């Protein structure tokens, strides 16, 4: 469901996600926006008291998680190649020194003795052959040394790769407990690591999302502290289907949210000329009535009169409601032993009542009634302080964070255009009811501007 007329005046803004974990069928204690703000500031003061000044300075002086040294793949290869080359140069230098030493020694021996015996020539020839054999052995030794260097090179690359993987795991684990809120999760870590997987899931939960916001004329700054409420509105018939979700500021009036709630009943009543501007929100024991229009009536008055005139019957019905399946589950979990008591209902004007003036329970279902008897369940899902990444323009709120798209019914004749009319008991229509676009409807039912027959019912078709 969506309001097509308002979609042209909307643009996309980014909001942070997160907040309290919402559990269905679980209702929080009775609270108020002011009580929540006080509890938050008390918790902050308690944390400041636990962290001494010395510890705060220590955290300031510590290296950030982002400053931890990590190695890229290119750096790993370069470092391994450098170490392997360093080892190769050491081997070459040592072999060259040994060769020079042996050559110097041989020259001394030849110069110190003169060969006269022919047997010396034979011995020299044998010595030459021994020298060639020694050269072969040296060449074999050099090949073996080269293979050893290659193996050492591969081994060093593998060792450095393991070091890098360990560093990434330690960096991800450190970020989980980091005091630096500006740290972002690393994308270069191994996907096989379970710790990195947990970091990815945490990032997906806390990442921002884009939603549509109506163009607000002018800019009104949001003053801190401000609380953001997440409020859900459900379908008037399919009570399990959520139709809208809002982010509302605690200091906004209830009428500001009512004006953003979209319901097909409002559109139908406007088309028939029977639009009723009256309505109310029932939150705990307060009926918040909308009296902005001069023709608005007090919907809560007959209910309050009935409660006063038929108190015993009202108490019996209230006990039946309080002993339902959901309240029984909540009592079993929360251990409440208080018996059902009929609330002392009172009234307030919606146009002067802010969300911060109400007492409510997170997760509880409240009532929105309009157009006489069209009722919606309203749930205040969670509550949090405003985030720096939130929209800082008060005029942009209430902000719609969820609203299903329109599902258009096509014309039953041409199957191309959207249906704008629906007929019932139409003898020339292929279906009953039958949906028509403007062109197909007039081609079937009109000739030269006059209606061919009128023994059927026709209605404007509104998309839900």
């Amino acid at each position: 469901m969506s309001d097509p007329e308002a979609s042209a005046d909307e643009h996309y803004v980014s909001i942070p996600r997160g907040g309290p974990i919402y559990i269905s069928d679980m209702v929080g204690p009775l609270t108020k926006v002011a009580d929540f703000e006080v509890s938050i500031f008390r918790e902050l003061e308690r944390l400041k008291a636990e962290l001494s000044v010395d510890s705060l300075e220590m955290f300031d002086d510590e290296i950030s998680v982002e400053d931890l040294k990590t190695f890229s793949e290119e750096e790993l290869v370069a470092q391994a190649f450098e170490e392997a080359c360093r080892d190769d140069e050491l081997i070459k230098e040592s072999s060259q020194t040994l060769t020079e030493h042996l050559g110097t020694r041989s020259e001394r021996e030849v110069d110190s003795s003169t060969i006269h015996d022919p047997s010396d020539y034979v011995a020299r020839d044998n010595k030459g052959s021994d020298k060639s054999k020694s050269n072969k052995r040296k060449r074999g030794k050099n090949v073996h040394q080269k293979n050893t260097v290659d193996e050492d090179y591969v081994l060093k690359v593998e060792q450095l790769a393991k070091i890098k993987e360990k560093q990434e795991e330690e960096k991800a684990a450190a970020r989980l407990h980091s005091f630096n809120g500006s740290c972002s999760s690393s994308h270069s870590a191994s996907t096989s690591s379970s710790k990195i997987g947990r970091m990815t899931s945490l990032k997906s939960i806390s990442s921002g999302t884009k939603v549509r916001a109506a163009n607000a004329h002018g800019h009104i700054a949001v003053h801190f502290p401000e609380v953001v409420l997440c409020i859900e509105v459900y379908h008037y018939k399919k009570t399990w289907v959520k139709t809208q979700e809002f982010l509302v500021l605690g200091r906004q009036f209830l009428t500001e949210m009512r004006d953003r709630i979209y319901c097909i009943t409002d559109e139908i009543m406007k088309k028939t000329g029977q639009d009723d501007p009256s309505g109310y929100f029932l939150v705990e024991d307060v009926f918040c009535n909308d009296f902005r229009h001069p023709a608005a009536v007090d919907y809560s008055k007959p209910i309050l009169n009935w409660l006063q005139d038929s108190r015993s019957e009202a108490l019996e019905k209230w006990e039946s409601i309080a002993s339902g399946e959901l309240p029984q589950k909540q009592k079993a979990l929360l251990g409440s032993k208080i018996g059902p008591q009929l609330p002392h209902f009172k009234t307030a004007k919606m146009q002067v009542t802010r969300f911060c003036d109400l007492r409510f329970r997170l997760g509880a279902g409240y009532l929105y009634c309009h157009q006489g008897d069209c009722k919606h369940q309203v749930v205040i899902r969670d509550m949090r302080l405003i985030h720096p990444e939130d929209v800082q323009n008060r005029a942009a709120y209430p902000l719609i964070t969820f609203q299903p798209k329109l599902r258009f019914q096509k014309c039953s004749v041409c199957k191309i255009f959207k249906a704008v009319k629906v007929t019932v008991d139409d003898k020339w229509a292929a279906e009953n009811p039958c949906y028509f676009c403007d062109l197909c409807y007039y081609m079937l039912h009109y000739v030269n501007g006059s209606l061919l027959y009128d023994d059927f019912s026709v209605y404007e078709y509104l998309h839900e």
Side-chain angles (χ1 to χ4, degrees):
M1 291 173 14
S2 175
D3 188 358
E5 296 180 358
S7 59
D9 297 331
E10 292 177 344
H11 65 284
Y12 287 90
V13 295
S14 179
I15 61 168
R17 302 300 294 171
I21 299 174
Y22 173 68
I23 303 174
S24 60
D25 297 340
M26 287 297 295
V27 178
L30 197 62
T31 186
K32 202 173 181 180
V33 170
D35 298 340
F36 174 74
E37 290 178 347
V38 170
S39 65
I40 287 293
F41 290 121
R42 284 179 180 173
E43 185 67 20
L44 290 175
E45 292 297 328
R46 187 183 67 82
L47 288 174
K48 288 180 181 179
E50 287 184 2
L51 297 172
S52 62
V53 178
D54 295 336
S55 63
L56 288 175
E57 292 177 355
M58 179 186 68
F59 284 127
D60 291 338
D61 296 336
E62 281 186 347
I63 299 176
S64 171
V65 176
E66 294 299 321
D67 295 334
L68 294 176
K69 178 63 177 175
T70 58
F71 295 99
S72 63
E73 299 294 336
E74 293 79 5
E75 290 174 338
L76 283 173
V77 173
Q79 186 173 349
F81 182 74
E82 186 178 339
E83 291 186 7
C85 290
R86 192 184 304 119
D87 294 341
D88 192 14
E89 289 176 0
L90 289 174
I91 293 170
K92 286 181 179 179
E93 288 177 1
S94 60
S95 62
Q96 185 177 359
T97 305
L98 181 61
T99 303
E100 291 176 355
H101 177 69
L102 291 175
T104 306
R105 184 177 177 183
S106 299
E107 288 177 359
R108 282 202 213 113
E109 290 177 354
V110 171
D111 292 339
S112 62
S113 61
T114 305
I115 302 173
H116 298 285
D117 194 347
S119 59
D120 290 340
Y121 293 99
V122 176
R124 200 185 316 171
D125 292 337
N126 293 333
K127 190 174 180 181
S129 62
D130 293 339
K131 187 175 181 181
S132 63
K133 292 179 181 178
S134 176
N135 291 334
K136 290 180 180 179
R137 285 196 297 270
K138 287 181 180 179
R139 284 196 297 271
K141 187 176 180 181
N142 290 335
V143 171
H144 177 69
Q145 289 174 351
K146 184 177 181 181
N147 293 335
T148 305
V149 169
D150 292 339
E151 292 176 359
D152 293 341
Y153 170 72
V154 174
L155 182 61
K156 289 181 183 300
V157 170
E158 292 177 353
Q159 290 175 350
L160 291 172
K162 290 180 181 178
I163 292 173
K164 176 179 173 58
E165 184 178 356
K166 187 177 179 182
Q167 284 180 339
E168 293 294 343
E169 292 179 358
E170 291 176 351
K171 183 178 178 181
R175 187 180 287 105
L176 282 172
H177 310 285
S178 174
F179 282 86
N180 186 0
S182 62
C183 294
S184 59
S185 61
S186 175
H187 296 281
S188 60
S190 174
T191 57
S192 61
S193 173
S194 60
K195 292 182 180 179
I196 303 304
R198 288 197 296 271
M199 283 297 298
T200 304
S201 64
L202 285 173
K203 187 189 174 197
S204 65
I205 292 172
S206 60
S207 61
T209 185
K210 289 187 177 294
V211 298
R212 291 191 301 177
N215 285 334
H217 299 287
H219 184 276
I220 304 175
V222 176
H223 299 288
F224 187 83
E226 183 60 275
V227 170
V228 177
L229 304 173
C230 181
I231 301 179
E232 300 173 339
V233 181
Y234 287 82
H235 197 271
Y236 66 101
K237 284 184 179 178
K238 303 174 184 177
T239 55
W240 63 92
V241 176
K242 180 171 67 173
T243 58
Q244 282 180 304
E245 182 179 309
F246 298 95
L247 288 183
V248 185
L249 300 179
R251 289 175 176 81
Q252 284 192 292
F253 295 104
L254 273 65
T255 50
E256 297 181 63
M257 190 184 79
R258 192 207 168 181
D259 293 340
R260 296 301 304 276
I261 295 177
Y262 175 78
C263 180
I264 191 67
T265 308
D266 290 328
E267 304 300 321
I268 294 173
M269 299 299 283
K270 289 176 183 177
K271 287 286 185 181
T272 59
Q274 300 178 6
D275 182 38
D276 188 354
S278 308
Y280 68 81
F281 286 104
L282 175 58
V283 182
E284 291 297 322
D285 56 354
V286 181
F287 285 94
C288 301
N289 294 281
D290 190 354
F291 292 122
R292 289 177 294 175
H293 198 278
V297 297
D298 188 352
Y299 279 174
S300 65
K301 188 174 182 180
I303 301 174
L304 296 175
N305 292 336
W306 175 77
L307 288 173
Q308 186 176 1
D309 298 338
S310 308
R311 190 166 185 82
S312 58
E313 183 182 355
L315 182 58
E316 182 180 350
K317 288 185 178 292
W318 184 257
E319 289 177 355
S320 176
I321 295 172
S323 60
E325 183 180 357
L326 179 58
Q328 290 297 334
K329 287 182 181 179
Q330 294 168 356
K331 285 181 181 179
L333 291 171
L334 303 176
S336 176
K337 298 181 180 180
I338 302 175
Q341 296 179 352
L342 192 64
H344 298 285
F345 291 98
K346 48 187 174 291
T347 61
K349 291 183 179 181
M350 189 188 299
Q351 62 268 29
V352 296
T353 304
R354 303 174 187 266
F355 286 94
C356 59
D357 300 329
L358 300 172
R359 299 189 71 83
F360 53 86
R361 303 174 192 269
L362 293 178
Y366 298 114
L367 186 65
Y368 167 56
C369 181
H370 66 123
Q371 299 298 342
D373 196 30
C374 185
K375 298 182 177 68
H376 300 260
Q377 180 176 301
V378 177
V379 177
I380 304 177
R381 193 185 70 188
D382 58 44
M383 176 170 51
R384 61 177 174 83
L385 287 179
I386 195 167
H387 192 274
E389 294 182 9
D390 279 304
V391 180
Q392 300 298 315
N393 182 11
R394 186 192 179 281
Y397 291 90
L399 198 62
I400 300 176
T401 58
F402 169 79
Q403 185 164 313
K405 293 182 179 179
L406 280 172
R407 291 176 291 180
F408 294 102
Q409 175 69 45
K410 288 188 177 181
C411 175
S412 301
V413 179
C414 66
K415 308 290 185 182
I416 299 175
F417 300 108
K418 294 184 293 185
V420 294
K421 293 183 183 295
V422 56
T423 61
V424 180
D425 299 330
D426 190 350
K427 62 182 179 181
W428 284 4
E431 301 172 357
N432 188 26
C434 190
Y435 300 91
F436 293 93
C437 63
D438 274 328
L439 181 61
C440 292
Y441 176 77
Y442 285 102
M443 287 180 66
L444 182 64
H445 297 90
Y446 285 82
V447 172
N448 297 326
S450 60
L451 186 65
L452 294 177
Y453 60 99
D454 59 358
D455 54 340
F456 65 94
S457 301
V458 59
Y459 305 96
E460 294 289 332
Y461 179 69
L462 298 174
H463 303 278
E464 183 176 0

